[in-house]
Amino acid sequence: MPRSSPDLLTHFLHAQETLYGPITTLPSSASTWTPPPHSGGHQGRYLWTDAIGVLNFLTLHHIHPSPPSPTHYLTLATRLIHTVHNTLGRTRTNPPTYLPNASPAHPLSGGLRIGKPSSTGPDSDGQYHHYLTLWMFALNRTSVASGEGKWNDLAVELGKAIHPRFFVGQKRDRMVWKMDVGLEKVLVGSEGNLDPLDGFVVFRLVQAYKQSTIPQDVGDGKGVLEDEIEDYARILKRKGRQRVAADMLDLGMTLWTAHWFTGREEWADELVGRGGEVVYDLFEDDRCLDRDMRFRLAFREFGAAMGIRCVAEQEAEKDRAVDLKVYADRIVECWKPHMNDAEEDELTPITQVMYASALIPGAFQRGFFGPEPVVPERTLYD
């Protein structure tokens, strides 16, 4: 995986520091660092934003040419993980308690709150499946980067806790979008476009890492999270070909998710191909970057840039990949003049961390830390 240019790294660090402070020159040891409450949301923590924050720290751990110490940014990532678990893995009460079914020994057995500022109302706190799977991915990547399996074990714990709560119907063949904080009541009953795909991909990555650490003569031959993965596969087969949305963030996350299996599984190659066509249509036919910036959201476009770069990195020798990378560059260049002097608002934290990941996807990319654990091949569509 190529190293990044000094200019990209400078902008990456600046974006990360808008949330997490002077991370290159901490006044004390990284092991005692407390992440400032600047990620938005309840008590300064927001699950989606901090998941990307963790991944950005892992990227820095791998690419920074002169860190204060060899494990400096890895330690910051794990400190942020602990802070999120201590905040969003507990109730909003004073004093806070562990979420239902969680405990000090099993801190993620109750899931993790979104971190919404309000406890009630149409945009209340609760739990989102796609936020939780992104956090599972961040935990998995922390194990890959550090070689310590305990982080992936937490991802397994979280996956087992949340999975049954988001499945409904007599045959458990449909998912819901949002659950309440305690994972007891459905708050939004519609099915997210990407939720089954997120689960199918992330749970398999977590499973593969766990299986790579288990001696071959141990166990019953059935992989951890196997039943859960089969549930996601069943929903994807019921839905048919995955819909590729023209929404920038949805499109980017689709490309990112599918790129983990391109060149290996037909459904992923097909999905990335159709995603590339949507990218072309958005930029060349709809001229999406010519629209008034007042009516666009930077973080959603940065999601598209991140996904595009992940695909381009895997298919660097294909003409399509080269063309797609141009569109990622155009998104970043379009917003770059507005990133340092923009007025702060409630979207500033998520915008800044996603700007960093759009510049250097790093830990989001397959193979960034080296060879990946072998993931058993699966067929989605006949």
Side-chain angles (χ1 to χ4, degrees):
M1 198 64 64
R3 298 289 177 175
S4 298
S5 71
D7 181 60
L8 280 180
L9 186 57
T10 296
H11 288 289
F12 185 103
L13 281 165
H14 181 270
Q16 191 78 344
E17 287 182 330
T18 61
L19 275 72
Y20 302 114
I23 56 177
T24 58
T25 56
L26 294 177
S28 59
S29 169
S31 63
T32 61
W33 177 67
T34 299
H38 295 160
S39 298
H42 184 240
Q43 296 184 337
R45 301 266 66 89
Y46 196 73
L47 188 58
W48 179 272
T49 302
D50 281 330
I52 298 173
V54 169
L55 291 163
N56 288 345
F57 278 130
L58 297 178
T59 297
L60 288 169
H61 169 65
H62 195 58
I63 68 170
H64 199 289
S66 55
S69 71
T71 60
H72 178 79
Y73 292 111
L74 178 61
T75 301
L76 297 188
T78 60
R79 292 288 294 170
L80 180 54
I81 289 171
H82 283 301
T83 301
V84 168
H85 291 176
N86 287 335
T87 304
L88 300 181
R90 302 185 189 225
T91 64
R92 301 169 63 99
T93 57
N94 188 15
T97 60
Y98 282 99
L99 295 178
N101 300 312
S103 66
H106 298 285
L108 301 188
S109 289
L112 289 167
R113 295 188 288 114
I114 299 165
K116 293 282 187 180
S118 176
S119 61
T120 59
D123 195 31
S124 66
D125 210 353
Q127 300 202 33
Y128 284 152
H129 184 271
H130 62 297
Y131 281 27
L132 294 161
T133 49
L134 185 62
W135 190 256
M136 287 174 63
F137 176 77
L139 291 172
N140 168 263
R141 293 296 94 184
T142 304
S143 276
V144 172
S146 67
E148 296 182 75
K150 63 182 180 180
W151 307 108
N152 194 74
D153 288 345
L154 284 170
V156 172
E157 178 179 300
L158 181 58
K160 285 183 172 293
I162 67 169
H163 173 269
R165 307 295 184 146
F166 284 89
F167 280 73
V168 296
Q170 285 188 328
K171 297 181 180 179
R172 299 181 59 74
D173 59 353
R174 189 173 68 81
M175 294 182 67
V176 298
W177 174 258
K178 182 180 181 182
M179 295 295 296
D180 72 341
V181 166
L183 291 174
E184 297 169 346
K185 179 182 178 182
V186 176
L187 295 184
V188 180
S190 57
E191 187 171 81
N193 179 41
L194 290 180
D195 282 0
L197 186 64
D198 289 340
F200 182 66
V201 169
V202 174
F203 274 56
R204 292 173 69 195
L205 297 178
V206 171
Q207 179 195 60
Y209 185 92
K210 181 63 178 177
Q211 292 302 110
S212 73
T213 67
I214 299 175
Q216 292 185 357
D217 59 348
V218 175
D220 58 5
K222 188 174 185 179
V224 64
L225 299 176
E226 187 67 25
D227 290 339
E228 291 83 351
I229 292 167
E230 287 303 320
D231 283 345
Y232 291 117
R234 185 175 64 256
I235 288 185
L236 289 169
K237 290 175 182 178
R238 184 260 296 167
K239 290 176 63 178
R241 259 56 179 180
Q242 177 69 35
R243 181 172 66 89
V244 181
D247 172 83
M248 285 282 207
L249 180 57
D250 196 291
L251 173 60
M253 299 310 288
T254 299
L255 292 171
W256 164 69
T257 306
H259 102 281
W260 283 93
F261 292 97
T262 52
R264 305 178 185 187
E265 297 184 4
E266 184 179 356
W267 68 265
D269 290 328
E270 178 191 333
L271 191 53
V272 165
R274 289 192 287 120
E277 293 172 0
V278 173
V279 170
Y280 186 86
D281 290 342
L282 280 171
F283 283 84
E284 300 299 338
D285 296 338
D286 297 344
R287 303 189 66 82
C288 59
L289 295 188
D290 291 342
R291 299 171 188 165
D292 192 326
M293 298 180 79
R294 293 175 299 173
F295 305 107
R296 292 158 50 194
L297 293 175
F299 79 89
R300 303 192 76 84
E301 296 185 13
F302 292 148
M306 183 276 291
I308 289 169
R309 290 197 196 281
C310 286
V311 169
E313 185 66 35
Q314 294 301 320
E315 304 184 0
E317 296 182 1
K318 295 184 179 180
D319 291 341
R320 180 185 66 201
V322 173
D323 290 341
L324 288 183
K325 183 178 180 298
V326 170
Y327 298 127
D329 293 340
R330 285 171 58 184
I331 291 172
V332 169
E333 290 303 315
C334 176
W335 286 103
K336 186 181 290 185
H338 306 275
M339 293 307 297
N340 293 335
D341 56 1
E343 287 188 25
E344 291 194 15
D345 58 26
E346 62 182 7
L347 294 180
T348 296
I350 193 171
T351 299
Q352 291 288 352
V353 292
M354 294 196 72
Y355 176 52
S357 65
L359 290 168
I360 310 173
F364 281 92
Q365 295 173 268
R366 187 177 93 198
F368 179 72
F369 297 110
E372 298 285 342
V374 176
V375 182
E377 184 176 344
R378 293 174 186 264
T379 301
L380 266 186
Y381 313 121
D382 297 330

